[in-house]
Amino acid sequence: MVHGTSAGAGTGGATPAPAGPRAPLTRERVLARAVAIADEQGLAALTMRSLAQALDVKPMSLYHHVAGKDAILDGIVDVVFGEMELPEPGGDWRAELARRARSARSVLRRHPWAVPLLESRAVPGPANLRHHEAVLATLRDAGFSVPMTAHAYALLDAFVYGFAVQEAALPFDAGSAPQVAEAIAAQFSSGDFPRMTELAVEHVMQPGYDFGDEFEYGLGVILDALAASLPGD
Amino acid sequence: MVHGTSAGAGTGGATPAPAGPRAPLTRERVLARAVAIADEQGLAALTMRSLAQALDVKPMSLYHHVAGKDAILDGIVDVVFGEMELPEPGGDWRAELARRARSARSVLRRHPWAVPLLESRAVPGPANLRHHEAVLATLRDAGFSVPMTAHAYALLDAFVYGFAVQEAALPFDAGSAPQVAEAIAAQFSSGDFPRMTELAVEHVMQPGYDFGDEFEYGLGVILDALAASLPGD
DNA sequence: ACCTGAACACCGTTCAAGT
DNA sequence: ACCTGAACACCGTTCAAGT
């Protein structure tokens, strides 16, 4: 895990503090445990009470390190942003943006509960700001104008976020449970939705299919379009 | 409002029922009121108790028309899908898909609370299925192969959903509150984030700027790429 | 300083009763 | 059949107290 050490508002002590049982509570430990609960049991299972119990502490103790539940949600979204690889401004812009997009996708797939939170959190955290600053710097250093950078930034992010939404909604994870596939097939066999049936039977349910390939296609389309708009081609 | 009359599982009575005060409860009335509460006060304000009160009824009465809170969330997401214009298969595919994408964007902007729900709802409703069937049919009738239709479908939807996520997270709605803009400017004036500052000052905060233009740019890029991949160009 | 017990105003939902 | 009162097992959070 890579969630930006010494990045946010200073919590004071720089001592590593042994990670044994009943280590002293810190903002970092609270957020890390919150992420773990959301990963393992879903966002609905993350309550002040369940979080406190997982930390072997009473609910009220949490309030000495975070302002409340909303601050925890803001915090874990920023932890997720901190796990994404940043593009290197000044390098091969296309390779850097592709690496960043693939990293963001895999991080959001690891933390699908974060996708709906990307929207609802009004105040962007420091890792979020650093992330987007790096994307903008990469685009500007590549020679894109300010208006074109705005276009590229919006399109790239819409694609990455939107793909994450789709993946989080995927009914089966790469052909795992056959009974789920059967239930879906049964819904299609009614005869309505012939095109969805066609797509599912002839393509998506075929052995070699991987939804991740759609990500590479879309990313290629976008980067090609951006490359074509660069003046010094 | 256009949320697919006579579409879902039959609720029986086809009589219009006068919309006067204390009309009999139906699944449609429950869902319509739920959408109105989410629109006006946000998703958090939608509780079984607040919904019952808005319908001039006790909370327990709702359970005779919907299975529970989750069923209401599934239901209102499908109401939102039902408000989106469908593309007409067999027509000008590019114009039809553009019209559908713009309609989906404006519907999701009208109901920003629906964006995070698009993911978390596992079971797609009838309006959702009809919507995606129409998109697939439009692509197939335009001459796209099945694998290419899968690419196009994933890319278009990722863009529409992702753009909705971005718009729902926009801090100010088209230059409304100047004090919000100042607070953001203050955060940038620290000197970190020079590229975000540049983009904000030189572009986004300029008089003529409209974030909606980014939608048209991205949509154009995607539709151009799809058109270029059609065999019978 | 950090932690906590008890309490408050909420949730969604079940159950048994009303008409 | 449709509606409801009372109750249950939860929430997030405040307040006053402990050490």
Side-chain angles (χ1 to χ4, degrees):
Chain A
M1 254 202 257
V2 204
H3 55 273
T5 319
S6 80
T11 49
T15 46
R22 200 57 200 260
L25 229 47
T26 63
R27 184 184 139 88
E28 271 77 30
R29 278 192 70 226
V30 169
L31 294 183
R33 250 286 181 272
V35 168
I37 291 174
D39 284 347
E40 289 156 19
Q41 308 173 58
L43 195 60
L46 174 61
T47 69
M48 297 301 278
R49 289 164 145 97
S50 71
L51 178 54
Q53 193 178 337
L55 288 163
D56 196 18
V57 118
K58 301 295 170 188
M60 309 316 130
S61 308
L62 301 173
Y63 287 85
H64 291 274
H65 300 94
V66 292
K69 180 81 182 277
D70 274 348
I72 291 178
L73 295 180
D74 285 336
I76 59 178
V77 165
D78 214 51
V79 167
V80 168
F81 270 106
E83 291 183 16
M84 297 176 190
E85 293 176 25
L86 299 180
E88 196 81 47
D92 177 345
W93 68 266
R94 189 177 168 128
E96 290 300 319
L97 291 179
R99 186 169 55 82
R100 171 259 170 178
R102 293 191 189 104
S103 171
R105 180 208 162 204
S106 83
V107 167
L108 291 176
R109 199 152 57 133
R110 219 163 43 228
H111 307 297
W113 48 265
V115 175
L117 293 181
L118 294 177
E119 175 237 345
S120 49
R121 303 291 94 197
V123 202
N128 185 342
L129 290 172
R130 236 178 307 130
H131 182 87
H132 287 111
E133 175 71 17
V135 171
L136 289 178
T138 303
L139 287 165
R140 293 288 286 130
D141 286 5
F144 291 101
S145 68
V146 170
M148 190 59 210
T149 293
H151 285 152
Y153 176 84
L155 178 51
L156 277 167
D157 262 28
F159 175 66
V160 169
Y161 289 161
F163 200 88
V165 169
Q166 289 181 304
E167 267 191 317
L170 276 189
F172 36 86
D173 21 289
S176 59
Q179 74 270 25
V180 175
E182 276 177 43
I184 293 172
Q187 194 170 16
F188 288 170
S189 69
S190 66
D192 315 326
F193 317 122
R195 297 311 199 170
M196 296 191 85
T197 306
E198 176 190 57
L199 183 67
V201 172
E202 292 185 19
H203 194 56
V204 174
M205 297 172 90
Q206 291 296 314
Y209 183 78
D210 176 9
F211 187 68
D213 295 344
E214 311 297 356
F215 185 79
E216 291 301 321
Y217 170 78
L219 184 58
V221 161
I222 292 170
L223 293 177
D224 282 350
L226 298 187
S229 79
L230 262 188
D233 130 291
Chain B
M1 253 199 257
V2 203
H3 55 273
T5 320
S6 80
T11 48
T15 46
R22 203 54 204 263
L25 230 45
T26 62
R27 185 184 138 87
E28 271 77 30
R29 279 192 70 225
V30 170
L31 294 182
R33 252 286 182 273
V35 168
I37 291 174
D39 285 346
E40 289 156 20
Q41 308 173 59
L43 196 60
L46 174 61
T47 68
M48 297 301 277
R49 289 162 145 98
S50 71
L51 179 55
Q53 193 177 336
L55 288 163
D56 196 19
V57 120
K58 301 295 170 189
M60 310 316 132
S61 308
L62 300 173
Y63 288 84
H64 291 273
H65 300 94
V66 291
K69 180 83 181 276
D70 274 348
I72 290 178
L73 295 180
D74 285 336
I76 59 179
V77 165
D78 214 52
V79 167
V80 167
F81 270 106
E83 291 183 16
M84 297 175 190
E85 292 176 25
L86 299 180
E88 195 80 48
D92 177 346
W93 68 267
R94 187 175 171 132
E96 290 301 318
L97 290 179
R99 185 169 57 79
R100 171 259 169 179
R102 293 190 188 106
S103 170
R105 179 206 163 205
S106 82
V107 166
L108 291 176
R109 198 151 58 133
R110 217 161 48 228
H111 306 298
W113 49 264
V115 175
L117 292 181
L118 294 177
E119 176 239 343
S120 48
R121 304 290 96 197
V123 201
N128 185 341
L129 290 172
R130 235 178 309 130
H131 182 86
H132 288 110
E133 175 70 17
V135 171
L136 290 178
T138 302
L139 287 165
R140 293 288 285 128
D141 286 4
F144 291 100
S145 67
V146 169
M148 189 59 209
T149 293
H151 286 150
Y153 176 84
L155 178 51
L156 277 167
D157 261 27
F159 175 67
V160 169
Y161 289 161
F163 200 87
V165 168
Q166 288 181 305
E167 267 191 318
L170 275 189
F172 35 86
D173 21 288
S176 58
Q179 73 270 26
V180 175
E182 276 177 44
I184 293 173
Q187 194 171 14
F188 287 170
S189 68
S190 65
D192 315 325
F193 317 122
R195 298 310 201 172
M196 296 190 85
T197 306
E198 176 189 58
L199 183 67
V201 172
E202 291 185 20
H203 193 57
V204 174
M205 295 172 91
Q206 292 295 315
Y209 183 78
D210 176 9
F211 186 69
D213 296 344
E214 311 297 357
F215 186 80
E216 290 302 322
Y217 170 77
L219 184 59
V221 162
I222 292 169
L223 293 177
D224 282 350
L226 298 187
S229 78
L230 261 189
D233 133 290

